[in-house]
């Protein structure tokens, strides 16, 4: 990979207990309904029928109200940057309020694709925004910022490649464990019989796109980036971060049955990449691309081959151009030099409007 920069996670001024309580609340709101649904489905594989569907819906409604209220409060109480126009702060508040109303109105699933999938997608976006606002309120930022030099662009590209490899290894583990347990045919270790697409009720590109939005927003922004940033901000040990993220990811994928333990590989790999590079957008891009692969599998063989060749040529050309640009830096700007951009989280937040 490209040269690894010096990655630092700033320490917050507020008491550690306050930061950890807010992180616990954020993770609970973001994952409570998903963990409950995965647990119910996993229990059904063992023949245990829990009639708590309505309770899960009410839980999601309550989480939507709390997320919307918390987000609106943080946005309204955050001062606007000095360079922002006078209309920026009220517009930002109206956007947060509108999103809060939308996720509350769509929390109870309705008939049709939009009613069933649009609400969870908007909820994921709201939780991701809330995670960013919580980090900002403690003077930290869940990313290193946009790449400013060709070397940094190449590094982000390599992070995305490794992120995709991590997702691929996890998917391979899911498949191998599922086939092994199916072949053993052990009654005490049931597995998900249908595909992931069928189990999640995804039948078309619109449902898949909305599901990907929710998954990437919650898993990458909240569970990985915000969790690591906030726990590092209060100097929690690394093993606690790995344990927490892996357990949450396994719980969210509990509908796989025992093969859900394969999610630990995906979680641990992304945690390692974020701790090493503190780069969020490449992880989101890799996760999105991996989740799109099931839709490519629905195509006929000629179209699959065409899509595969196109993606291979595209990624090869991107890789070649980035390496060529990064390899022709002028002598006065070596690869290890730092860009003339704010490197501290507080300085970066002063220059950003969202």
């Amino acid at each position: 990979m490209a040269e690894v920069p010096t990655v630092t996670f700033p320490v917050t001024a507020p008491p550690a207990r306050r930061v950890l309580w807010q992180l616990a609340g954020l993770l609970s709101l973001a994952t409570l309904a998903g963990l409950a649904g995965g647990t119910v489905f996993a229990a059904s594989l063992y023949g245990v029928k829990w009639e708590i569907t309505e309770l899960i819906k009410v839980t999601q409604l309550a989480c939507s109200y709390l997320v919307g209220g918390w987000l609106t409060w943080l946005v309204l109480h955050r001062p606007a940057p000095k360079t922002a126009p006078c209309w920026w702060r009220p517009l930002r508040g109206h956007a947060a309020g509108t999103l809060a109303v939308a996720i509350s109105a769509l929390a109870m699933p309705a008939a049709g694709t939009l009613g069933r999938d649009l609400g969870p997608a908007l909820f994921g976006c709201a939780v991701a925004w809330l995670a960013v606002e919580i980090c900002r309120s403690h003077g930290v930022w869940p990313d290193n910022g946009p790449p400013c030099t060709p070397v940094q662009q190449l590094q982000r590209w390599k992070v995305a490649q490794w992120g995709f490899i991590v997702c691929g290894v996890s998917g391979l583990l899911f498949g191998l464990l599922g086939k092994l347990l199916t072949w053993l045919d052990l009654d005490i270790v049931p597995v998900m019989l249908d595909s992931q697409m069928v189990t999640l009720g995804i039948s078309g590109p619109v449902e898949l796109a909305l599901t990907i939005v929710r998954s990437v927003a919650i898993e990458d922004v909240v569970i990985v980036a915000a969790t690591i940033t906030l726990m590092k901000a209060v100097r929690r040990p690394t093993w606690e971060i790995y344990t927490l993220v892996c357990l949450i990811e396994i719980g969210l994928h509990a509908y796989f049955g025992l093969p859900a333990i394969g999610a630990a590989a995906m979680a641990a790999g992304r945690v390692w990449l974020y701790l090493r590079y503190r780069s969020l957008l490449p992880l989101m891009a890799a996760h999105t691309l991996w989740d799109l692969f099931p839709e490519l599998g629905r195509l006929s063989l000629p179209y699959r081959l065409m899509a595969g060749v196109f993606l291979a040529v595209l990624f090869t050309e991107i890789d070649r151009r980035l390496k060529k640009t990064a390899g022709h830096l002028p002598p006065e700007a070596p690869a290890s030099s730092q860009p003339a951009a704010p490197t501290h989280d507080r300085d970066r937040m002063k220059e950003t409007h969202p």
Side-chain angles (χ1 to χ4, degrees), residues 41-42 45-46 181 189-192 250 253-261:
F41 191 90
L45 297 177
Y46 288 88
L181 294 174
V189 188
V191 297
M192 179 180 67
I250 292 174
H253 294 83
Y255 54 86
F256 276 95
L258 187 60
I261 60 177

Side-chain angles (χ1 to χ4, degrees), residues 8-284:
T8 59
F9 289 87
V11 179
T12 62
R17 181 177 299 180
R18 175 186 170 189
V19 176
L20 292 178
W21 271 112
Q22 289 188 355
L23 174 60
L26 172 67
L27 291 175
S28 299
L29 293 175
T31 63
L32 188 58
L35 291 174
T39 302
V40 170
F41 191 90
S44 67
L45 297 177
Y46 288 88
V48 179
K49 302 298 182 180
W50 288 339
E51 299 297 334
I52 60 172
T53 304
E54 295 300 322
L55 178 60
I56 294 177
K57 292 180 180 180
V58 173
T59 301
Q60 181 61 44
L61 179 62
C63 290
S64 298
Y65 279 125
L66 292 174
V67 168
W70 194 359
L71 173 63
T72 305
W73 186 86
L74 287 177
V75 169
L76 291 177
H77 284 77
R78 175 163 60 88
K82 296 181 179 180
T83 57
C86 60
W87 49 264
W88 174 251
R89 185 173 180 180
L91 178 62
R92 188 181 61 194
H94 290 322
T98 302
L99 183 57
V101 172
I103 62 174
S104 300
L106 296 174
M108 302 297 282
T113 299
L114 292 180
R116 187 179 66 252
D117 299 310
L118 180 59
L122 290 178
F123 178 80
C125 295
V127 172
W129 188 359
L130 175 61
V132 173
E133 292 295 335
I134 292 175
C135 290
R136 291 178 66 109
S137 68
H138 295 299
V140 294
W141 188 257
D143 190 73
N144 253 348
C148 301
T149 66
V151 171
Q152 289 178 333
Q153 293 174 358
L154 177 60
Q155 175 200 306
R156 301 298 198 275
W157 172 248
K158 295 298 183 182
V159 172
Q161 289 180 321
W162 279 105
F164 185 81
I165 292 173
V166 166
C167 292
V169 170
S170 177
L172 182 62
L173 286 177
F174 279 132
L176 291 178
L177 286 173
K179 290 184 178 298
L180 175 62
L181 294 174
T182 302
W183 177 73
L184 293 175
D185 195 21
L186 300 176
D187 293 334
I188 60 173
V189 188
V191 297
M192 179 180 67
L193 299 179
D194 296 319
S195 66
Q196 186 180 17
M197 299 276 284
V198 174
T199 301
L200 296 178
I202 301 174
S203 59
V206 177
E207 294 97 323
L208 178 61
L210 293 174
T211 302
I212 290 175
V213 169
R214 180 182 184 277
S215 175
V216 171
I218 292 179
E219 294 186 32
D220 292 289
V221 181
V222 179
I223 298 177
V224 175
T227 299
I228 295 175
T229 300
L230 291 173
M231 293 188 72
K232 277 293 185 180
V234 294
R235 298 181 178 178
R236 301 307 303 170
T238 303
W239 70 266
E240 286 188 7
I241 297 175
Y242 275 99
T243 302
L244 177 61
V245 175
C246 289
L247 288 177
I248 293 176
E249 286 287 357
I250 292 174
L252 291 177
H253 294 83
Y255 54 86
F256 276 95
L258 187 60
I261 60 177
M266 180 176 63
R270 289 189 296 172
V271 169
W272 182 84
L273 285 172
Y274 190 80
L275 286 172
R276 188 173 176 84
Y277 298 98
R278 198 185 168 199
S279 188
L280 173 59
L281 291 180
L283 295 181
M284 296 175 67

Side-chain angles (χ1 to χ4, degrees), residues 299-313:
L299 302 175
S300 59
L301 180 59
Y303 289 106
R304 288 203 301 269
L305 292 176
M306 291 175 59
V309 171
F310 172 76
L311 292 175
V313 172

Side-chain angles (χ1 to χ4, degrees), residues 287-342:
H287 193 178
T288 300
L289 182 61
W290 175 255
D291 285 347
L292 285 174
F293 263 57
E295 191 64 23
L296 295 179
R298 294 170 175 265
L299 302 175
S300 59
L301 180 59
Y303 289 106
R304 288 203 301 269
L305 292 176
M306 291 175 59
V309 171
F310 172 76
L311 292 175
V313 172
L314 176 63
F315 294 155
T316 301
E317 181 63 17
I318 293 175
D319 189 76
R320 184 189 68 82
R321 287 180 177 272
L322 290 176
K323 287 181 178 178
K324 180 179 179 181
T325 304
H328 287 78
L329 291 175
E332 61 272 18
S336 60
S337 64
Q338 296 296 323

